[in-house]
Amino acid sequence: MKNILITGGAGFIGSHVVRRFVQNYPNYHIYNLDALTYAGNLENIKDIENESNYTFVKGDIVDESFINELFAKYNFEGVLHLAAESHVDRSIEDPLSFVKTNVIGTMNLLNAARKLWKDNMEGKRFYHISTDEVYGSLGAEGLFTETTSYDPNSPYSASKASSDHFVRAYGETYGLPYVLTNCSNNYGPFHFPEKLIPLFINNIINNKPLPVYGDGNYTRDWLFVKDHAIAIDLVFHEGKNHETYNIGGFNEWKNIDLVKLLCKVMDEKLGRSEGESSKLITYVKDRPGHDLRYAIDASKINTELGWKPTVTFEEGLEQTIDWYLSNTDWLNNVTSGEYANYYKKQYN
Ligand code: NAD
Ligand code: TYD
């Protein structure tokens, strides 16, 4: 039995990764470490909480002595690090909390792994899950490759870029066995409704305005979260040491076109007449430092590891909408309490 640590497993992507690893790898004991911030929710992994190869640990990666004790206690052989502050708008309001979790928290995990593995790195692996936002913004043409220079524009992407640099530095300096991936925008079940797609689904259900930033002509490359989890599984097991892989959906959408598609599908699902939901579209003040376009060249992971997305955007979006419509308790639960304060501050 190998002890594997997954951080941030009560969040959006982490919950899909934890579920996949617990279900597919009975020879691993999965320790899910999560601080349960506003974005973490044990409901996201309720279906696997009683599995014998699964343990939830509540804790903060910023707490250095706690992290060191945890590594000493469980002797982890692999780490998949997803815990992070992940929302650009929140990073504009409170950049320091992003430095704490995304930079210091990552440092604590790197130091603990280095200490634990110093006499024998064989078979060990530190997998840092990162974002394409570290590359900054593309113009109308081109794609991010693994060799694109880092050029982050938001406090969020700057903190992720910093943690990526530390992971590589620990690989070069101390020989820490790492892999790193930079992925495009994810969507799917359990996505916290502060990000574009789940926020707009929730607002359409509740007939609330759909706040499109600026002119809506910003472009993102969307990937279904389960395809990201498949890629993470593959890279963890078959990725080459000290390598970076870009992961993307080959699926670029201008925000306004995506929102119109979402409105159309929601009209059908909710039995509304065509065009009803799109009346909710409201152009609002732009996000400062808003990156124009992200798009990933995922040919390396495709040619070297054979990964490609398994669902089309239309299929993934429909599955996502269906999930939110049949999980209104989850949605109401996460949008009660603090969420109302956040919403008021961000959009009023
Ligand atoms: P999320 O915000 O949904 O979840 C983050 C999780 O980390 C939450 O469960 C939260 O409780 C936990 N966490 C936060 N601070 C912590 C701390 N100090 N100690 C322990 N746990 C803490 O994020 P997500 O969208 O699932 O993203 C997961 C990872 O994937 C992040 O590293 C993010 O940068 C990266 N990523 C996200 C996307 C995306 O589109 N969402 C795309 C590419 C990469
Ligand atoms: P988001 O889901 O926050 O992801 P990211 O900023 O990490 O790409 O935003 C996706 C796009 O949608 C981005 O261009 C900003 C835009 N957006 C809006 O227009 N309105 C909103 O209310 C939100 C949250 C995002």
Side-chain angles (χ1 to χ4, degrees):
M1 198 82 165
K2 274 188 173 185
N3 285 349
I4 304 291
L5 175 69
I6 301 183
T7 70
F12 166 47
I13 302 170
S15 63
H16 290 276
V17 174
V18 164
R19 178 176 300 100
R20 187 175 173 88
F21 272 64
V22 167
Q23 290 175 343
N24 290 2
Y25 299 102
N27 54 325
Y28 292 168
H29 193 105
I30 301 299
Y31 291 85
N32 173 11
L33 168 64
D34 198 296
L36 299 181
T37 67
Y38 79 92
N41 184 354
L42 289 177
E43 290 296 314
N44 296 1
I45 27 152
K46 200 157 181 47
D47 54 326
I48 50 102
E49 71 184 1
N50 293 322
E51 297 297 333
S52 59
N53 65 335
Y54 173 73
T55 303
F56 176 72
V57 182
K58 184 171 187 299
D60 188 342
I61 58 170
V62 181
D63 184 343
E64 185 184 0
S65 49
F66 163 75
I67 292 298
N68 286 335
E69 282 162 27
L70 196 73
F71 273 69
K73 184 169 175 191
Y74 294 116
N75 211 357
F76 300 121
E77 294 188 54
V79 176
L80 292 98
H81 175 36
L82 295 100
E85 287 294 339
S86 68
H87 190 37
V88 173
D89 292 327
R90 287 185 192 256
S91 81
I92 295 167
E93 283 305 308
D94 179 18
L96 197 57
S97 65
F98 283 67
V99 175
K100 286 181 186 156
T101 289
N102 299 358
V103 185
I104 311 283
T106 302
M107 289 293 292
N108 286 339
L109 295 166
L110 286 169
N111 284 330
R114 185 187 147 216
K115 216 178 299 166
L116 183 67
W117 300 340
K118 68 178 185 318
D119 296 327
N120 182 10
M121 304 261 187
E122 196 59 40
K124 312 295 192 300
R125 174 147 278 190
F126 190 101
Y127 181 178
H128 183 61
I129 283 87
S130 193
T131 168
D132 62 353
E133 302 191 26
V134 297
Y135 299 123
S137 185
L138 290 164
E141 299 289 317
L143 300 170
F144 296 134
T145 72
E146 287 79 1
T147 55
T148 301
S149 298
Y150 276 31
D151 190 16
N153 292 314
S154 74
Y156 164 63
S157 54
S159 68
K160 291 296 290 188
S162 171
S163 60
D164 290 9
H165 288 318
F166 275 111
V167 172
R168 289 204 184 90
Y170 273 54
E172 292 304 315
T173 307
Y174 308 113
L176 190 87
Y178 78 86
V179 278
L180 202 161
T181 50
N182 297 91
C183 187
S184 64
N185 287 60
N186 284 214
Y187 69 97
F190 301 111
H191 205 182
F192 193 80
E194 62 184 352
K195 309 278 169 61
L196 181 75
I197 291 181
L199 177 81
F200 280 33
I201 291 175
N202 187 40
N203 285 13
I204 292 170
I205 293 172
N206 294 299
N207 265 308
K208 281 171 63 179
L210 305 177
V212 173
Y213 294 159
D215 60 7
N217 284 321
Y218 294 89
T219 300
R220 297 292 182 264
D221 173 0
W222 294 93
L223 177 68
F224 192 51
V225 63
K226 291 183 188 174
D227 277 325
H228 190 190
I230 293 171
I232 288 173
D233 186 344
L234 200 61
V235 171
F236 183 71
H237 291 102
E238 291 174 35
K240 276 201 348 230
N241 238 351
H242 291 201
E243 287 284 330
T244 294
Y245 300 88
N246 278 356
I247 306 171
F250 305 98
N251 177 42
E252 286 184 52
W253 284 83
K254 277 200 169 135
N255 291 343
I256 190 62
D257 296 336
L258 188 155
V259 170
K260 285 181 180 162
L261 173 67
L262 192 61
C263 288
K264 184 171 173 286
V265 181
M266 291 291 286
D267 279 344
E268 287 160 17
K269 297 275 175 192
L270 293 168
R272 293 181 183 170
S273 55
E274 201 180 326
E276 207 177 318
S277 298
S278 63
K279 288 185 196 145
L280 298 168
I281 293 173
T282 311
Y283 292 91
V284 300
K285 195 163 116 323
D286 211 347
R287 170 188 281 173
H290 198 166
D291 286 330
L292 178 67
R293 178 171 163 258
Y294 304 144
I296 281 276
D297 176 353
S299 49
K300 179 175 172 184
I301 189 170
N302 177 248
T303 49
E304 292 188 14
L305 303 181
W307 176 89
K308 62 177 190 324
T310 63
V311 295
T312 64
F313 187 55
E314 286 70 18
E315 286 163 353
L317 193 65
E318 185 166 2
Q319 279 189 42
T320 303
I321 292 169
D322 288 342
W323 185 85
Y324 280 93
L325 290 176
S326 44
N327 286 276
T328 44
D329 284 352
W330 183 93
L331 204 46
N332 293 336
N333 191 24
V334 300
T335 52
S336 64
E338 257 311 295
Y339 182 84
N341 296 338
Y342 165 76
Y343 200 90
K344 211 165 152 193
K345 206 165 159 209
Q346 179 65 23
Y347 295 103
N348 279 0

